[in-house]
Amino acid sequence: MPRPDLELLSPARTADIGIEAVNHGADAVYIGGPSFGARLNAGNEVADIERLCAHAHRFGSRIFVTLNTILRDDELEPARRLIHTLYEAGVDALIVQDLGLLELDLPPIQLHASTQTDIRTPGKARFLQDVGFSQMVLARELSLPEIRAISAVLTGATIEFFIHGALCVAYSGQCFISHAHTGRSANRGNCSQECRLPYTVTDNDGRVVAYERHVLSLKDNDQSGNLRALVDAGVRSFKIEGRYKDMGYVKNTTAQYRQLLDAILEDTPTLARASSGRCTFLFTPDPARDYNRGGTDYFVNGRKDDIGNFDSPKHVGLPVGHVLRTGPDWFEMEATAPIHNGDGLTYYTPKRELAGIRVNRAEGVGPAPHTVYRIEPNEPVANLPGLRADVALHRNSDTAWDRLLERKTADRRIGLALRLAESDDGFTLSATDEDGFSATAALVRSKEPARDANGAEAALRDSLGKLGNTIFSATSIDIDLSQPWFLPASAVNALRRDAVAAVEAARAAGLERLPRAVPADPPAHYPEDTLTYLANVYNHKARDFYARHGVKVIASAYESHEETGEVSLMITKHCVRFSLSMCPKQAKGVTGVQGQVRAEPLTITHGDDRLTLRFDCKPCEMHVVGRMRKSIANEVPAAPITFYRAGAGGRG
């Protein structure tokens, strides 16, 4: 059965951010390597990842490296060599999308299935488990019953689920708009985020349904209220999105979810943390202060009509007051919180466009505490469209908060029990940590009675408890001496340092590498016999993998430019018709759309780009249909591949 530990999995753009994620309670951190990660500009050198591994392993936390793009044939060997290097550096697991990697000679590193593998069904999840994946991140669109159904068929793999951060509107791995319009492939880590653009929506008769709205832009994921339900459904790894995010975001969100998961663990003795130590936070976490587009729990509790962020894909911020009056180079605002120089304020113009203001100078008006501030912005007020009295203001950048998060904000410690005892030739100090690792250090010294018995014991306890520059905190100090002996503080400090170092060495020696799952024998059969471009097969090793697992017809990935006509460029659970209250299911007295009934298509346009929205009402999904721009279609892929589209054998 999947392990009972609860894992908090945090993102890291850099090794330093990853170290702070560990310090703030992450049981695991995922980070990009020097290449082949699905965030093109979030790569890290192996030496930095090795440094992160060394820090994380002190607490029993794990490091997962993302190698989750689809690969060309000429990239397979470099990827294989990189994986061996990462394994030697101490990386605990790889997060992968391209199943061609399973056909390579890999080290015994644990494999996790990326969200890009599009895991929505029990059959797909069971297949990935049976071919050797130990952990898999399910599609964000799943509901609690769907997660439970997948959990029921797994016998060894761990379910991972995104609980916080930005949402891709498409099923992960099922979006090709970026490549079709710009040549930048989301499946190769270079998404141009076409979904965040404004579109005009028209119906079949050409009538405008929505004008210049961000109809494909979603709010951000927030499962903070569903954690217990997700645990009950079978989720064991709780993943925070954000490999492009800064250190403050990672500190803040990791601390927030560490506290929430710890509360669940306190009430559920059958579950355990996946790493060691407890965190003390020097600030109060508040994810609402981070860059966000508003929150939604998406489809976990069923379809909602408020998952979109159609007004703006930007960070509006928290309400902070309203404008009282304006001058030529200043305005006054009534504020619900202190305003600081450098803060960022936002407001909506009469056209419902989000405008931003940088505060050059904020000065309180009248006696403290101030509720009215005179603001000198970084540009003339005349250049700020629609800024007038009574306009509501939000703050999307708080300099005081940013400065707070730049300082030390957490202390993570592993509990340590200490016992000082006598030996034939001096003294011993035994140390046992919360995980049962123990060590003993010895001090050879003649025994000299203490002149002040009470003072001697107090001094011993004080010296033994000085663990401030270590990863430990004393949970108990037992002094088992036949009588009070005199021991100089320097000798006790040295004895303590030796014991602590020995325990750390024992922890390092006792850390076991995560095991690689053994594939089923005979090989598991893939749930389908035919694969279209949606399977993202971009190299011959991936094609060989699927053929070996029973697939008869295998098409090449969209990036191979074999699908230049109209196809589904995005498949999504988000429904524009539903969000605009145009879904047939929303009609009074209608409980569902049955059989082959389809809602009429809609059209969305942005500039010269025109896409058709088609609605598959039975599974309640939307397809964004379009074609590759000619300029992109005429480009020859760097390493084109062609597969025969019938039969299991033969390749181009």
Side-chain angles (χ1 to χ4, degrees):
M1 292 296 292
R3 56 185 171 81
D5 304 315
L6 294 191
E7 175 182 272
L8 177 58
L9 177 55
S10 294
R13 188 180 72 227
T14 66
D16 289 336
I17 293 176
I19 287 170
E20 285 304 319
V22 171
N23 293 343
H24 286 70
D27 299 304
V29 172
Y30 65 106
I31 186 169
S35 54
F36 309 127
R39 293 290 185 272
L40 184 66
N41 298 315
N44 294 273
E45 295 304 316
V46 173
D48 287 325
I49 294 175
E50 186 171 17
R51 177 167 59 92
L52 172 58
C53 289
H55 180 75
H57 291 167
R58 298 177 77 191
F59 296 94
S61 294
R62 304 292 185 164
I63 302 303
F64 308 153
V65 167
T66 57
L67 204 152
N68 57 340
T69 61
I70 57 173
L71 304 171
R72 302 189 308 259
D73 277 315
D74 63 309
E75 294 172 326
L76 290 172
E77 178 56 21
R80 188 195 67 81
R81 291 197 300 266
L82 174 60
I83 292 168
H84 279 269
T85 303
L86 291 169
Y87 182 74
E88 292 167 1
V91 170
D92 297 289
L94 286 179
I95 303 174
V96 303
Q97 173 187 188
D98 196 321
L99 299 188
L101 291 171
L102 277 68
E103 297 291 297
L104 303 181
D105 173 28
L106 300 182
I109 191 168
Q110 190 169 101
L111 299 179
H112 296 182
S114 168
T115 183
Q116 295 294 114
T117 58
D118 186 29
I119 309 167
R120 288 183 262 162
T121 65
K124 180 75 169 287
R126 180 58 186 257
F127 171 78
L128 291 171
Q129 172 193 266
D130 291 347
V131 298
F133 285 97
S134 299
Q135 188 157 309
M136 58 191 72
V137 57
L138 304 187
R140 296 169 174 88
E141 292 81 1
L142 297 187
S143 65
L144 289 170
E146 289 170 324
I147 295 170
R148 279 194 292 269
I150 289 174
S151 178
V153 304
L154 297 180
T155 58
T158 297
I159 290 178
E160 181 182 315
F161 196 71
F162 277 102
I163 55 169
H164 192 89
L167 285 167
C168 291
V169 64
Y171 291 115
S172 293
Q174 303 293 282
C175 186
F176 312 96
I177 295 178
S178 176
H179 188 79
H181 287 178
T182 69
R184 294 166 53 182
S185 168
N187 280 309
R188 289 177 55 78
N190 197 16
C191 179
S192 59
Q193 294 198 320
E194 304 293 294
C195 57
R196 301 296 183 184
L197 298 174
Y199 290 93
T200 293
V201 185
T202 54
D203 64 15
N204 265 358
D205 296 321
R207 293 172 297 196
V208 174
V209 176
Y211 180 74
E212 292 289 299
R213 301 290 303 280
H214 300 267
V215 293
L216 297 180
S217 180
L218 299 181
K219 294 180 179 178
D220 286 356
N221 190 16
D222 180 2
Q223 302 296 337
S224 58
N226 295 324
L227 297 183
R228 289 180 186 271
L230 289 168
V231 170
D232 292 342
V235 176
R236 290 296 177 266
S237 179
F238 296 82
K239 187 172 193 174
I240 298 169
E241 180 275 338
R243 282 202 295 121
Y244 274 157
K245 297 297 180 68
D246 61 22
M247 186 174 288
Y249 167 91
V250 173
K251 283 183 173 185
N252 192 21
T253 54
T254 301
Q256 168 78 354
Y257 283 97
R258 181 72 274 159
Q259 291 179 335
L260 293 173
L261 288 177
D262 281 349
I264 293 174
L265 290 168
E266 286 290 328
D267 295 341
T268 317
T270 56
L271 297 171
R273 285 186 63 172
S275 62
S276 307
R278 298 294 182 271
C279 291
T280 301
F281 298 113
L282 310 179
F283 75 114
T284 301
D286 184 5
R289 292 175 176 266
D290 292 323
Y291 185 102
N292 70 87
R293 303 175 180 90
T296 174
D297 69 354
Y298 212 26
F299 294 98
V300 165
N301 289 302
R303 184 176 290 278
K304 309 285 180 61
D305 59 5
D306 62 346
I307 66 173
N309 186 32
F310 293 175
D311 288 332
S312 172
K314 301 176 182 178
H315 176 37
V316 177
L318 296 174
V320 74
H322 64 274
V323 177
L324 292 174
R325 59 196 183 103
T326 64
D329 56 5
W330 56 266
F331 64 90
E332 288 185 357
M333 63 176 292
E334 185 169 3
T336 57
I339 307 298
H340 314 100
N341 297 346
D343 281 359
L345 304 177
T346 66
Y347 67 97
Y348 280 105
T349 70
K351 295 182 179 180
R352 292 300 295 171
E353 295 174 343
L354 189 67
I357 302 168
R358 179 63 62 182
V359 177
N360 274 351
R361 178 178 172 82
E363 183 176 357
V365 177
H370 301 297
T371 58
V372 175
Y373 288 82
R374 174 164 286 196
I375 305 298
E376 296 177 11
N378 63 341
E379 57 183 311
V381 171
N383 293 348
L384 300 173
L387 188 72
R388 60 180 186 273
D390 297 326
V391 165
L393 296 171
H394 292 70
R395 176 163 54 192
N396 67 353
S397 178
D398 185 337
T399 55
W401 175 257
D402 293 341
R403 291 193 194 104
L404 170 64
L405 290 178
E406 289 172 358
R407 302 195 291 267
K408 179 177 179 178
T409 47
D411 192 27
R412 183 171 181 175
R413 300 282 176 153
I414 298 170
L416 191 68
L418 298 169
R419 181 177 179 272
L420 181 67
E422 298 175 32
S423 64
D424 292 340
D425 56 356
F427 303 89
T428 61
L429 179 62
S430 298
T432 304
D433 73 13
E434 64 186 48
D435 298 316
F437 291 101
S438 62
T440 300
L443 172 65
V444 177
R445 182 182 175 85
S446 60
K447 297 180 177 68
E448 178 185 346
R451 294 181 181 179
D452 179 3
N454 292 332
E457 180 169 333
L460 282 175
R461 290 186 181 278
D462 182 62
S463 294
L464 292 173
K466 289 181 177 178
L467 299 170
N469 61 344
T470 74
I471 62 171
F472 299 103
S473 63
T475 54
S476 65
I477 300 175
D478 182 16
I479 298 177
D480 185 13
L481 303 178
S482 60
Q483 69 175 76
W485 301 108
F486 168 71
L487 282 169
S490 59
V492 177
N493 290 340
L495 184 63
R496 183 198 67 238
R497 287 193 294 268
D498 289 345
V500 167
V503 172
E504 272 229 64
R507 289 184 62 84
L511 182 71
E512 298 180 355
R513 300 205 75 140
L514 297 179
R516 173 82 172 269
V518 178
D521 187 22
H525 196 288
Y526 191 72
E528 302 171 21
D529 291 331
T530 299
L531 294 179
T532 69
Y533 70 97
L534 298 173
N536 300 320
V537 177
Y538 201 42
N539 59 71
H540 288 99
K541 287 295 184 181
R543 180 237 175 253
D544 292 344
F545 171 87
Y546 283 112
R548 189 163 61 84
H549 290 279
V551 181
K552 303 301 182 184
V553 179
I554 305 170
S556 57
Y558 189 74
E559 288 78 359
S560 297
H561 293 192
E562 294 186 11
E563 303 282 354
T564 56
E566 278 206 340
V567 296
S568 293
L569 295 178
M570 175 196 292
I571 304 174
T572 172
K573 193 74 173 173
H574 167 53
C575 177
V576 170
R577 272 192 171 277
F578 188 89
S579 295
L580 297 177
S581 299
M582 299 171 62
C583 172
K585 295 183 181 182
Q586 293 169 313
K588 186 175 181 180
V590 176
T591 58
V593 179
Q594 305 297 324
Q596 300 302 311
V597 175
R598 297 288 186 271
E600 289 185 353
L602 296 173
T603 300
I604 59 173
T605 56
H606 174 81
D608 293 332
D609 293 320
R610 182 183 182 89
L611 299 164
T612 302
L613 305 182
R614 300 192 184 279
F615 304 94
D616 191 350
C617 295
K618 191 171 184 179
C620 215
E621 294 175 347
M622 181 175 77
H623 290 239
V624 182
V625 178
R627 65 177 64 243
M628 196 177 293
R629 285 180 180 168
K630 289 183 179 179
S631 59
I632 305 301
N634 291 335
E635 294 178 3
V636 178
I641 57 173
T642 302
F643 300 146
Y644 289 113
R645 301 177 71 88
R651 66 189 188 192

